[in-house]
């Protein structure tokens, strides 16, 4: 997700504000099932390891002239 805004200061000068976010929904991605054997006791259980990154934000300010 990315949001940005250009703010004019003078005729040829502007300020650029930008907010970027990675993994904004923070949805977990589980790696795999514990087992695919239907007769096993742990059939259908998910492993506890996750392969996704945590939610992160980045703010930037740029002056263009």
């Amino acid at each position: 997700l990315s949001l940005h805004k250009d703010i004019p200061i003078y005729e040829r000068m502007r300020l650029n504000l930008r907010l970027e976010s990675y993994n904004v929904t923070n949805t977990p991605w589980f790696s795999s099932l514990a087992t695919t054997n239907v007769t096993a006791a742990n059939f259908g259980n998910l492993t506890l390891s996750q392969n996704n990154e945590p939610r992160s934000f980045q703010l930037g300010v740029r002056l263009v002239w």
Side-chain angles (χ1 to χ4, degrees):
L1 178 68
S2 177
L3 302 171
H4 73 278
K5 171 98 176 152
D6 286 329
I7 302 169
I9 297 174
Y10 290 115
E11 187 175 310
R12 295 187 59 168
M13 186 181 291
R14 69 181 188 272
L15 189 67
N16 183 292
L17 298 174
R18 180 175 293 268
L19 175 68
E20 297 175 345
S21 175
Y22 301 100
N23 194 17
V24 71
T25 60
N26 204 18
T27 305
W29 297 342
F30 294 104
S31 60
S32 64
L33 293 172
T35 184
T36 57
N37 185 2
V38 294
T39 60
N42 60 351
F43 174 72
N45 291 343
L46 296 172
T47 58
L48 296 177
S49 63
Q50 292 184 11
N51 294 332
N52 62 324
E53 296 293 325
R55 186 181 305 148
S56 64
F57 294 96
Q58 177 175 308
L59 177 66
V61 178
R62 182 172 73 169
L63 179 64
V64 180
W65 71 90

